[in-house]
């Protein structure tokens, strides 16, 4: 963990966050509207006002969309599956069984079958769903794997990305949330923030921008978990047991790993009478390659709270989209497809209601007693 004294580096991350959120506002607003449609609240305030100005008596909301969505969500919940590892051979069966026990423990501990339904529901009914995978050290000093559903309008990313998997071509992504000041102090005890510094005006190339990062009335501070893609030179060494390549930050570490493998093989040769392995020069060669990695930065305003190298291959977020166009990067949900027909249906029913009420109210009907059926009352006073 390091503290940055020069705010120019943090300002770069703040600018990326701000521009990304500005570009994603349309998705946030569309997702909130989609959520209203799923709940059957199909008329916003502006539509209701226009509706009344046109002389409509009632604003009907027939929940056709919600009924169809509930069927899809119920089907998904009924057909949930559990992950299971299978060994390639008899020698892998024990390892597979241990992995299955670990997966089941993590899944049961997080309510995985319910969590994936929540992400699926957000991606189907709103705009997209987001899941976060983290390690929680609150109850277990060694850490527990934790899954969380992130609200779709608290997730941002590089909007220039086109691929479904953001980790492939997005240069940054992250989440933002409002955290109570006392909890923030517990999470980051080394960080001392100043209300005046967080809420001051910051200037960039476009002019003066008021960065609203703090609400003193509710004692809340907006905090960003930002992940930035960086490229580093790595030293790759082949693992002679698994066949995979291990990346090291320095050539010294790579050479030490090679010597460790050679030492282990020499001990195996001495203890085994039927040693038959053969190696080539490439098995113990160091390959140099520039690879992408990630940096994790936590900040509020231009105050850096945390900066560290991310030791995992990808950031801890997964975004689920119902439909995705790989050529343009656009995505949409089922609600986006069904929303316009739902609007037309609601307006049609409202127009029928208006027309029917107008005809009944504005017309007189004449009754001729002689033409009534014998079983009907012909006394006009009683009939009236």
């Amino acid at each position: 963990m390091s503290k940055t004294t020069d705010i120019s580096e943090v300002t770069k991350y703040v600018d990326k966050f701000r521009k990304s959120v500005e570009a994603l506002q349309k998705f946030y607003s569309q997702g909130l509207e989609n959520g209203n449609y799923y709940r059957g609240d199909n008329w916003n305030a502006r539509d209701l006002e226009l509706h009344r100005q046109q002389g409509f008596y009632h604003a009907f909301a027939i929940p056709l969309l919600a009924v169809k969505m509930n069927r899809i969500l119920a089907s998904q919940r009924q057909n949930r599956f559990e992950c299971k590892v299978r060994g390639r051979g008899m020698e892998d069966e024990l390892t597979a069984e241990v992995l299955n026990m670990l997966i089941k423990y993590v899944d049961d501990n997080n309510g995985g079958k319910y969590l994936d339904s929540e992400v699926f529901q957000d991606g189907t009914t709103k705009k997209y769903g987001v899941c976060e995978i983290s390690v929680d050290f609150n109850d277990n000093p060694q850490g527990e794997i934790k899954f969380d559903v992130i609200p779709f309008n608290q997730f941002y990313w590089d909007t220039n990305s086109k691929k479904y998997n953001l980790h492939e071509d997005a240069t940054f992504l992250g989440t933002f949330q409002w955290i109570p000041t006392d909890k923030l102090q517990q999470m980051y005890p080394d960080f001392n923030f100043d209300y005046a510094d967080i809420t001051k005006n910051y200037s960039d190339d476009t002019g003066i921008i008021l960065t609203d990062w703090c609400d003193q009335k509710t004692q809340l501070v907006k905090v960003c978990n930002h992940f930035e893609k960086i490229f580093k030179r790595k030293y790759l060494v082949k693992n002679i047991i698994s066949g995979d390549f291990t990346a090291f930050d320095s050539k010294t570490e790579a050479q030490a790993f090679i010597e460790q493998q050679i030492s282990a093989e020499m001990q195996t040769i001495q203890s085994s009478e039927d040693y038959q392995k053969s190696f080539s020069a490439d098995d113990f060669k160091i390959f140099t390659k520039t690879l992408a990695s990630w940096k994790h930065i936590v900040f509020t305003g231009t105050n850096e709270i945390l900066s560290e190298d991310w030791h995992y291959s990808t950031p801890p977020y997964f975004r689920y989209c119902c439909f995705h166009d790989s050529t343009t990067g656009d995505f949409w949900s089922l609600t986006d497809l069904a929303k316009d027909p739902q609007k037309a249906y609601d307006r049609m029913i409202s127009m029928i209601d208006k027309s029917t009420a107008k005809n009944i109210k504005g017309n007189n009907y004449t009754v001729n007693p002689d033409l009534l059926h014998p079983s009907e009352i012909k006394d006009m006073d009683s009939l009236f």
Side-chain angles (χ1 to χ4, degrees), residues 1 227 232 234 249 293-296 307-315:
M1 182 174 66
F227 290 85
K232 288 185 175 182
K234 296 287 186 177
D249 292 328
S293 59
W294 293 88
K295 185 178 181 180
H296 178 211
S307 179
E308 62 181 357
D309 291 331
W310 190 245
H311 298 295
Y312 302 97
S313 59
T314 62

Side-chain angles (χ1 to χ4, degrees), residues 223-264:
V223 177
C224 283
N225 270 295
H226 184 87
F227 290 85
E228 186 85 9
K229 182 179 285 187
I230 56 177
F231 294 90
K232 288 185 175 182
R233 175 176 290 184
K234 296 287 186 177
Y235 300 90
L236 305 181
V237 177
K238 185 177 181 180
N239 187 318
I240 59 176
I241 298 177
S242 65
D244 299 327
F245 282 86
T246 304
F248 295 92
D249 292 328
S250 68
K251 195 171 184 178
T252 304
E253 293 176 340
Q255 187 62 44
F257 182 70
I258 292 176
E259 294 174 357
Q260 179 183 354
Q261 291 194 103
I262 294 176
S263 176

Side-chain angles (χ1 to χ4, degrees), residues 49 108 113 152 263 310 354:
E49 182 62 29
D108 292 342
K113 62 180 181 179
F152 74 97
S263 176
W310 190 245
K354 175 184 176 183

Side-chain angles (χ1 to χ4, degrees), residues 78-98:
Q78 290 175 358
N79 294 282
R80 282 188 289 236
F81 62 90
E82 293 185 351
C83 296
K84 188 172 184 180
V85 179
R86 294 183 179 274
R88 292 184 176 181
M90 294 295 294
E91 68 277 4
D92 300 325
E93 290 300 324
L94 179 59
T95 302
E97 191 65 27
V98 173

